[in-house]
Amino acid sequence: MLDIRYAEDRRVLLVGRLDAAQAAAAQAFLDTVPPPCVIDAGGLEYISSAGLGVLLRTHKRLVAAGAGIRLINVNLHVYDVFRYSGMDKLFSVTVTPARDG
Amino acid sequence: MELTCKRSLDELQAIVAATDRFFSDRPVAPALRMPVDLSIEELFVNLVKYNQGTDHDISLRLDWVGDAVEVSLTDHDVDPFDPTRPPELDIDAPLATRHPNGMGLYLVSKMVDAIHYEYRNRESKVTFTKRMAQDHA
């Protein structure tokens, strides 16, 4: 399951699994987010290409509006997916070292 | 472990639960588990989205083969489509030309150790293998 919501400081918190079943809900939320958009992915356990597509569409929209997305606290194993897809070259992705090895 | 799945993205939750059970006896680090989960999802979603001429269930099977996990997805009464040879993705392309299409199967091709496709009597079967490191978590 996925939980996506604002933190008190207007960061977007992304928690759980961003897969094909959750992509539409995530897209609906992110379509309402104004720039600049900082996404705290510290609780993101998993992302697939459907989730990458959500972030790519959101980034394109926000770049056109003046500033793209920035991901922070990404786990190393989630970061692998950004790296393999080349998405880490399109927007800022800051990694938090995994505590689980 | 075997699971029969309806042709719906809603089945992803059941697939994750079944995969959790599969790994519960032999846990692996998230970095090793991620390619397995991702490849199952991408291949399953591909079957659901593009094999629309059938209402047969999709079969998912996971097995340990030595220190590797072997996963197969079998679809029935479908036309042939080989997911093991996706178009190359230009990961250095600028933002303006990047789009989400094609990323899923490309990621599978990069993240698994081996992948094989069989098609016979209108049955489509894709099998991939991912070796788990010996230092199980």
Side-chain angles (χ1 to χ4, degrees):
Chain A
M1 294 301 290
L2 181 76
D3 181 19
I4 183 168
R5 57 188 155 83
Y6 282 113
E8 287 183 4
D9 61 1
R10 300 296 288 175
R11 279 176 300 143
V12 174
L13 297 178
L14 205 50
V15 178
R17 299 176 61 88
L18 183 43
D19 61 17
Q22 304 297 324
Q27 189 72 72
F29 182 93
L30 289 171
D31 281 349
T32 67
V33 174
C37 174
V38 177
I39 299 175
D40 187 335
L44 185 65
E45 300 163 2
Y46 171 87
I47 191 167
S48 66
S49 70
L52 294 179
V54 169
L55 297 179
L56 178 58
R57 281 186 286 270
T58 302
H59 184 60
K60 283 191 171 190
R61 177 182 67 81
L62 291 176
V63 164
I69 63 173
R70 194 157 63 89
L71 259 73
I72 61 172
N73 294 328
V74 177
N75 286 332
L76 279 173
H77 59 279
V78 169
Y79 179 70
D80 276 346
V81 183
F82 285 94
R83 187 169 54 85
Y84 277 112
S85 65
M87 296 279 282
D88 60 329
K89 299 173 182 175
L90 298 178
F91 47 78
S92 171
V93 181
T94 305
V95 175
T96 297
R99 279 173 270 175
D100 48 27
Chain B
M1 188 282 291
E2 286 190 75
L3 185 69
T4 301
C5 309
K6 301 290 182 195
R7 314 185 70 82
S8 166
L9 299 186
D10 293 338
E11 290 286 79
L12 287 173
Q13 199 170 345
I15 291 173
V16 172
T19 309
D20 282 344
R21 288 194 299 276
F22 174 79
F23 280 109
S24 64
D25 291 339
R26 200 168 160 180
V28 299
L32 296 171
R33 168 86 186 261
M34 172 67 86
V36 175
D37 286 347
L38 183 139
S39 299
I40 292 173
E41 176 185 331
E42 303 295 355
L43 292 167
F44 178 76
V45 169
N46 190 266
L47 297 176
V48 171
K49 280 188 174 177
Y50 298 109
N51 287 349
Q52 294 188 341
T54 176
D55 57 1
H56 284 270
D57 292 342
I58 296 167
S59 306
L60 170 67
R61 182 181 174 100
L62 286 85
D63 292 293
W64 282 102
V65 179
D67 68 349
V69 172
E70 184 181 89
V71 180
S72 64
L73 292 101
T74 306
D75 205 2
H76 310 274
D77 193 22
V78 293
D79 293 329
F81 173 76
D82 185 353
T84 68
R85 299 176 185 275
E88 194 64 23
L89 188 71
D90 181 4
I91 63 171
D92 295 313
L95 179 63
T97 62
R98 288 296 303 263
H99 56 82
N101 297 344
M103 268 200 289
L105 296 182
Y106 172 83
L107 286 171
V108 174
S109 72
K110 296 300 178 190
M111 297 181 89
V112 302
D113 293 318
I115 186 164
H116 175 68
Y117 175 69
E118 301 168 61
Y119 183 77
R120 185 179 301 172
N121 298 327
R122 294 193 56 74
E123 183 176 282
S124 202
K125 182 178 182 181
V126 61
T127 303
F128 73 84
T129 305
K130 180 66 182 176
R131 196 177 70 80
M132 301 288 116
Q134 291 178 348
D135 53 339
H136 296 295

